Amino acid sequence: MVNNELERALGVLQVVAKENKHAGKKGVRVKKASEKKADKNKKNKKVDNDDDVFAEFMNIPAASSAPSPSESSSSSKVGPGSSSSTPLHVPVDENGRPQQTDPPTIPVRLLFPDGVYPVGEIQEYIAENSYRTTSAELREKERLEHDLYEDVRQAAEVHRQVRQYAQRFVKPGMLMTEIVERVEDCVRTLIEENGLRLQAGVGFPTGCSLNHVAAHWTPNSGDKTVLHYDDVMKLDIGTHINGRIIDSAFTVTFNPRYDPLKEAVRDATNTGVRTAGIDVRLCDVGAAIQEVMESYEIELDGKTYQIKPLRNLCGHSIWPYRIHGDKSVPSVRGGPTTRMEEGEFFAIETFGSTGRGFVVEDLECSHYGKAFDPPSGVTIRSAKAKDLYAHINKHHGTLAFCRRWLDRAGQEKYLLALKNLVDLGLVESYMPLVDVKGSYVAQFEHTFLLRPTCKEVLSRGSDY
């Protein structure tokens, strides 16, 4: 039956094609492939009539009935091939507004067909910078950055939807590998990565550091670590569009005894975000964070601990395709007097610990990244290392990656080649950072932009 219907459909298309050869005749016209690439500025739909005739004949929704990239603003188009992954049906509410599924499967672009994404939390500048709020000149500067703002807001909306999904599905007893892969696959779907990570995708390997491990841990392939009820997990998720990274983290616990630890760190992070601004000194942000963090205590197993900021783990500026820019934001007093500047992106992240408040490198490495300023004149002699470096350049650039992703891409027996690239200074390794064993570390982090007229906390959500 299906074969007969396909033959009939193809017959219809052949008739359509034959009729289209006769000039001046009206009816359905088969579009040439070259004609499908029409002017991107036109807002009307481009319809492939062949597909519509076939779809109507077979009684299925036409591909042209789904929203296409041409319906959105240029800032909402994410990479070539995004339309190929466009679902044929997007759920809507009673008012006709597109809705996300649960679990999330609809690309965020399709939920905002006008290409206008939710604005982050706005914090106005104060004191000598209060004039910026109403400056017409500065508002015009912002208007010229419209596409950039929509890119980062789209990445931030993906982050919010993915992390809120994680907050629903993460449970004790799950393998850490399953947790991070579900998170990363969700990012890839909602941001429409489609194998083109350098255009849009996961910003960096999903961190899921446990207990005394503070940062830079994600499971390598084959790792059997399981999440337990009494664990303290830092879930650090990154998204990006066109290299503009949203870096935001939160702490997952199931045992309520850790609530004071989480509250201390959340409060310290929010204090750092509020203190930050144009012309603010980095050392002043660190002093404010430390004061708040150390005002909290936690009682565990009959012992009371003052919660300490990790003094050698800092927030940071964010550059395009580079998660750590040139400025570090301390969590303690005595930091640099360098000032924040208009137009900069920052991630304020604070870590509170029941341990010594100082981290060292330990455990097996999982995080890597191509050196942003690699040494010149370096010769790669190993053919395997050359191939691996070419793969890193093509698929990751200077965005951080992990061993799981190399395995996922089909790379085999690459550890010696990877070590060779690290030894040559072409690739950097980011070891897990740990406090004293037996201690507990919590983390919260937000990304914000120092716009000319205000500070926009891009990653802010209803959850944190």
Side-chain angles (χ1 to χ4, degrees):
M1 175 67 72
V2 173
N3 287 339
N4 290 338
E5 290 178 341
L6 286 171
E7 290 176 1
R8 291 168 59 200
L10 290 173
V12 171
L13 293 180
Q14 288 173 354
V15 171
V16 170
K18 184 180 295 184
E19 291 179 350
N20 191 49
K21 291 181 180 179
H22 300 284
K25 290 201 173 183
K26 295 183 179 180
V28 179
R29 179 175 176 273
V30 179
K31 296 179 83 174
K32 298 179 182 178
S34 61
E35 294 175 317
K36 295 177 185 177
K37 298 181 179 179
D39 183 8
K40 292 183 180 179
N41 292 326
K42 292 184 179 180
K43 294 292 182 180
N44 57 306
K45 282 187 177 181
K46 281 48 171 195
V47 179
D48 187 337
N49 290 314
D50 288 3
D51 292 342
D52 287 349
V53 170
F54 182 77
E56 182 178 0
F57 187 82
M58 296 299 291
N59 194 31
I60 61 175
S64 60
S65 66
S68 67
S70 62
E71 295 178 280
S72 302
S73 70
S74 60
S75 64
S76 68
K77 299 175 184 176
V78 180
S82 60
S83 60
S84 66
S85 62
T86 299
L88 295 178
H89 175 68
V90 178
V92 296
D93 62 14
E94 61 276 10
N95 297 315
R97 291 188 294 262
Q99 296 293 294
Q100 185 57 272
T101 58
D102 189 13
T105 59
I106 307 298
V108 163
R109 176 178 60 87
L110 300 183
L111 303 179
F112 300 89
D114 59 357
V116 178
Y117 298 92
V119 177
E121 178 192 45
I122 299 300
Q123 297 184 5
E124 294 186 352
Y125 297 128
I126 59 175
E128 65 271 13
N129 278 322
S130 59
Y131 77 94
R132 290 176 169 273
T133 303
T134 56
S135 170
E137 179 183 355
L138 295 179
R139 288 186 180 278
E140 176 62 18
K141 287 181 69 174
E142 291 189 342
R143 190 187 67 79
L144 297 176
E145 297 288 357
H146 173 270
D147 288 354
L148 167 62
Y149 293 174
E150 293 303 334
D151 277 353
V152 293
R153 289 167 183 162
Q154 182 183 359
E157 180 60 23
V158 170
H159 196 290
R160 278 187 290 273
Q161 294 194 19
V162 170
R163 77 190 190 219
Q164 289 169 13
Y165 168 55
Q167 289 161 12
R168 295 193 298 272
F169 82 73
V170 171
K171 298 290 186 293
M174 294 184 68
L175 284 171
M176 304 302 288
T177 299
E178 179 187 358
I179 293 171
V180 297
E181 288 185 347
R182 284 177 68 172
V183 166
E184 290 164 359
D185 285 345
C186 190
V187 171
R188 294 182 182 110
T189 297
L190 300 196
I191 213 163
E192 300 175 279
E193 181 178 296
N194 296 328
L196 301 169
R197 188 194 175 209
L198 288 178
Q199 294 185 11
V202 185
F204 49 79
T206 301
C208 54
S209 304
L210 293 174
N211 303 324
H212 72 292
V213 183
H216 295 173
W217 189 85
T218 196
N220 289 320
S221 297
D223 190 289
K224 300 300 182 184
T225 304
V226 173
L227 180 65
H228 297 290
Y229 175 78
D230 281 321
D231 284 336
V232 176
M233 178 178 70
K234 284 70 66 181
L235 201 55
D236 196 352
I237 302 170
T239 61
H240 91 92
I241 291 178
N242 294 323
R244 295 295 183 172
I245 302 170
I246 298 296
D247 182 4
S248 186
F250 61 100
T251 297
V252 177
T253 60
F254 307 101
N255 191 329
R257 73 177 192 153
Y258 300 115
D259 288 352
L261 176 62
K262 292 197 299 183
E263 181 57 32
V265 182
R266 189 202 312 261
D267 193 1
T269 294
N270 286 334
T271 297
V273 172
R274 282 195 305 272
T275 305
I278 294 172
D279 296 329
V280 172
R281 301 187 306 173
L282 300 177
C283 59
D284 294 334
V285 179
I289 289 172
Q290 182 176 10
E291 181 178 0
V292 169
M293 185 86 75
E294 292 181 346
S295 69
Y296 284 83
E297 294 180 338
I298 184 172
E299 182 178 332
L300 297 174
D301 302 323
K303 184 176 179 180
T304 300
Y305 300 85
Q306 181 187 42
I307 298 174
K308 304 173 183 176
L310 291 181
R311 60 184 181 274
N312 60 334
L313 262 182
C314 301
H316 49 89
S317 58
I318 304 176
W319 288 359
Y321 292 101
R322 185 175 182 176
I323 186 61
H324 287 176
D326 62 340
K327 294 179 180 178
S328 293
V329 185
S331 295
V332 293
R333 303 178 188 89
T337 57
T338 309
R339 296 179 184 273
M340 296 177 163
E341 299 176 66
E342 177 187 308
E344 290 185 317
F345 289 83
F346 280 93
I348 294 289
E349 56 182 327
T350 70
F351 298 81
S353 175
T354 63
R356 62 193 167 197
F358 186 85
V359 292
V360 296
E361 295 182 348
D362 196 11
L363 307 177
E364 183 180 54
C365 189
S366 57
H367 287 52
Y368 298 85
K370 178 187 170 186
F372 201 80
D373 296 306
S376 59
V378 173
T379 301
I380 305 175
R381 302 190 183 280
S382 163
K384 181 67 176 177
K386 285 181 181 178
D387 290 344
L388 180 59
Y389 194 54
H391 172 84
I392 293 169
N393 274 317
K394 179 179 179 180
H395 295 283
H396 304 294
T398 53
L399 293 171
F401 62 92
C402 62
R403 284 164 51 179
R404 278 187 299 104
W405 294 356
L406 296 180
D407 298 329
R408 184 175 184 268
Q411 293 292 317
E412 298 178 344
K413 300 178 180 179
Y414 56 78
L415 288 179
L416 284 177
L418 185 56
K419 182 180 184 302
N420 184 200
L421 295 175
V422 172
D423 292 342
L424 291 172
L426 299 176
V427 170
E428 297 176 345
S429 59
Y430 307 111
M431 294 288 292
L433 302 171
V434 307
D435 201 336
V436 62
K437 197 167 186 178
S439 64
Y440 296 96
V441 177
Q443 173 196 18
F444 279 90
E445 178 178 22
H446 274 301
T447 294
F448 61 85
L449 166 62
L450 296 178
R451 287 169 44 187
T453 67
C454 63
K455 174 172 47 185
E456 182 174 346
V457 188
L458 296 158
S459 55
R460 182 72 75 193
S462 59
D463 50 350
Y464 68 88

